[in-house]
Amino acid sequence: MNTKLRLIVLSFLQFFIWGSWLITIGAYWFKTKEWSGAEFGAIFSTMGIAAIFMPSLMGILADKYFNAEKLFGILHILGGAVLMMVPSVNDPGTMFWVMLLNMIFYMPTLALSIAVSYSVLKKEGLDVVKDYPPIRVWGTVGFIVAMWTVSLLHIETSASQFYVAAGAAFLLGIYSFTLPACPPQGANQSSKSLADALGLHSFALLKDRKMAVFFLFALLLGAALQLTNAYGDVFLHDFDQNSAYNGTLAVRYPAIIMSISQISETLFILAIPFFLRRFGIKQVMFFSMIAWVLRFGLFAYGNPGSGLWMIILSCIVYGMAFDFFNISGSLFVETQTKPAIRASAQGLFMMMTNGFGAVLGSSVSGLVIQHFFTNPDNTKDWPGIWLSFAGYSLVIAVLFVIMFKHKHDPHAVDTTKVEPLLTVEQA
């Protein structure tokens, strides 16, 4: 099996695990367990809580002490064991702690999968900007296959979805031990301070104004991502209360409709190298923010009947909204840092997006929805919810254009030919 194919398998399974439950856990929560919306917001915040410290911590370990691929495998095996416990949970309080433990093991693997892939590609003399997106696209395919599997097996509201995720986690955990070795890059470097010894020097990147602003908006866009993850599937499921939409495709198979978002990702991932070289990170991330405005705005006016085209178009736009921020952002971080801190720098990026951003998005949105968009009969004003999210994204886009100062260099994204634009000493 050649190098690229081995990394494709890694990427596919990495996101198959997440896709097995992330989008459909809301249906399981509300339809099967009939637990409250406030408690559901707490469950989604577990991703953010874990991502605040675990990606950076595991990145430090991978930079200084352990092979990244082995650490990656151990985390997935532990995560699979926790997912096996989820079906036996019978109260929301316990569910919070079980899902938090699962996220503690899973969230750092998102950054580690990038670090492992970049390391292996560079050992082969390949260009990460050119060669990684076609590999990463198979992660999106894995997410789609997982969603279709759960939907077609009619287990969107069943605990069986967690068994599917657990099986994939065990498989990936074992498989990762067969990957090429990715030894720590900072292990042999002399430490000048306690921060250096612990690998915390990646945080020095925040001392640079451009990087600090970049990570700030990564946090704010991470909040937008959690909004669509938490409420997209529930939004479609709520239409089953309206007899006019009973039997429509979007109501019968909401996860399949939502998977159009991931199908769109596969196309936009492949476009990233062109857009980065042509427009630069600032414009690419601005495109992402405008796409978020459209994503939420189209949801506000869409429905499973005559407005189905708006929901489908919203899902297509999601590909640009997600990829032009998430994948391009990780490549930008890669060009800004030295090899010795790249794993922990990727962990820092993940902490801002899926850590603080997730906590911000899940907690604030939950309060806003509860106080302003929940009717006396406990139904939700979905148009109002989506329009408020669209307004939030528009404000972020305007502020980003004003605050983020970056001069585009078409050669800066070629990490095989250019030295890092920002080192720790410059930060």
Side-chain angles (χ1 to χ4, degrees):
M1 187 183 296
N2 65 41
T3 297
K4 290 184 180 180
L5 183 56
R6 297 181 77 182
L7 294 179
I8 284 172
V9 173
L10 180 153
S11 188
F12 180 93
L13 290 173
Q14 173 72 37
F15 289 91
F16 183 96
I17 297 166
W18 218 6
S20 298
W21 66 266
L22 179 66
I23 304 300
T24 52
I25 189 174
Y28 172 71
W29 184 278
F30 290 108
K31 300 295 182 179
T32 301
K33 292 299 186 179
E34 298 182 345
W35 291 333
S36 76
E39 291 163 331
F40 178 65
I43 291 298
F44 252 78
S45 72
T46 60
M47 289 183 290
I49 295 170
I52 286 174
F53 64 95
M54 283 302 294
S56 293
L57 178 59
M58 293 299 103
I60 289 168
L61 294 180
D63 277 335
K64 301 290 290 184
Y65 306 111
F66 299 103
N67 278 29
E69 83 284 356
K70 290 183 172 60
L71 184 61
F72 179 78
I74 291 170
L75 289 169
H76 273 301
I77 291 172
L78 293 172
V82 176
L83 284 167
M84 292 291 291
M85 298 167 53
V86 174
S88 64
V89 175
N90 293 313
D91 67 275
T94 303
M95 185 72 157
F96 172 83
W97 293 108
V98 172
M99 291 307 297
L100 176 60
L101 184 59
N102 174 53
M103 288 293 95
I104 283 174
F105 294 134
Y106 184 82
M107 294 310 292
T109 65
L110 294 172
L112 284 173
S113 68
I114 295 173
V116 169
S117 296
Y118 286 176
S119 175
V120 172
L121 288 173
K122 287 179 179 180
K123 283 183 179 179
E124 296 290 326
L126 301 172
D127 179 358
V128 297
V129 173
K130 176 183 177 182
D131 296 308
Y132 180 66
I135 292 171
R136 170 58 181 81
V137 76
W138 285 95
T140 304
V141 172
F143 200 99
I144 295 168
V145 171
M147 291 178 67
W148 279 60
T149 299
V150 169
S151 187
L152 292 174
L153 291 176
H154 297 289
I155 57 174
E156 286 189 34
T157 60
S158 167
S160 297
Q161 61 188 282
F162 300 106
Y163 290 130
V164 173
F170 288 134
L171 179 61
L172 178 54
I174 295 170
Y175 172 76
S176 67
F177 284 90
T178 71
L179 294 171
C182 302
Q185 296 296 304
N188 298 323
Q189 294 188 359
S190 60
S191 298
K192 299 180 180 180
S193 66
L194 179 61
D196 289 332
L198 294 175
L200 299 178
H201 40 289
S202 66
F203 287 88
L205 295 172
L206 297 177
K207 294 164 60 178
D208 178 82
R209 183 186 181 280
K210 180 175 69 176
M211 291 301 292
V213 171
F214 170 80
F215 282 119
L216 170 64
F217 281 94
L219 181 156
L220 296 173
L221 281 178
L225 173 61
Q226 296 312 312
L227 301 178
T228 192
N229 282 342
Y231 300 106
D233 191 63
V234 179
F235 162 63
L236 292 180
H237 270 286
D238 268 5
F239 279 104
D240 64 9
Q241 300 174 14
N242 189 327
S243 59
Y245 302 115
N246 285 341
T248 60
L249 179 64
V251 172
R252 292 177 61 198
Y253 301 103
I256 290 179
I257 294 297
M258 293 299 293
S259 74
I260 296 173
S261 300
Q262 282 67 46
I263 295 172
S264 173
E265 276 188 55
T266 63
L267 301 177
F268 281 104
I269 284 177
L270 298 177
I272 285 175
F274 167 78
F275 276 90
L276 275 180
R277 289 192 169 97
R278 175 66 179 84
F279 299 103
I281 187 65
K282 180 173 182 176
Q283 290 191 59
V284 167
M285 289 190 70
F286 176 72
F287 295 157
S288 168
M289 295 171 191
I290 295 302
W292 280 117
V293 176
L294 294 174
R295 162 72 160 178
F296 297 135
L298 288 165
F299 263 176
Y301 296 104
N303 62 64
S306 60
L308 180 60
W309 68 272
M310 294 186 189
I311 293 176
I312 292 176
L313 183 57
S314 174
C315 291
I316 293 173
V317 167
Y318 173 87
M320 175 180 284
F322 179 83
D323 290 335
F324 279 23
F325 151 61
N326 203 46
I327 308 302
S328 297
S330 74
L331 290 170
F332 181 69
V333 170
E334 183 76 3
T335 64
Q336 304 298 295
T337 55
K338 283 185 173 180
I341 64 168
R342 278 178 182 156
S344 48
Q346 292 291 352
L348 180 60
F349 177 61
M350 197 64 60
M351 179 180 69
M352 291 297 178
T353 56
N354 290 318
F356 291 114
V359 172
L360 176 69
S362 59
S363 59
V364 175
S365 65
L367 291 173
V368 170
I369 290 173
Q370 184 66 34
H371 289 286
F372 299 104
F373 300 107
T374 300
N375 301 317
D377 61 356
N378 212 35
T379 59
K380 294 176 177 60
D381 174 17
W382 285 111
I385 291 172
W386 294 124
L387 287 176
S388 67
F389 292 169
Y392 166 81
S393 301
L394 182 60
V395 171
I396 296 304
V398 173
L399 291 176
F400 180 77
V401 170
I402 297 172
M403 296 177 62
F404 186 64
K405 308 297 183 183
H406 178 70
K407 184 178 180 180
H408 174 48
D409 178 0
H411 301 290
V413 294
D414 189 344
T415 58
T416 64
K417 300 178 181 178
V418 183
E419 287 299 311
L421 302 179
L422 180 68
T423 65
V424 174
E425 289 77 15
Q426 294 172 315

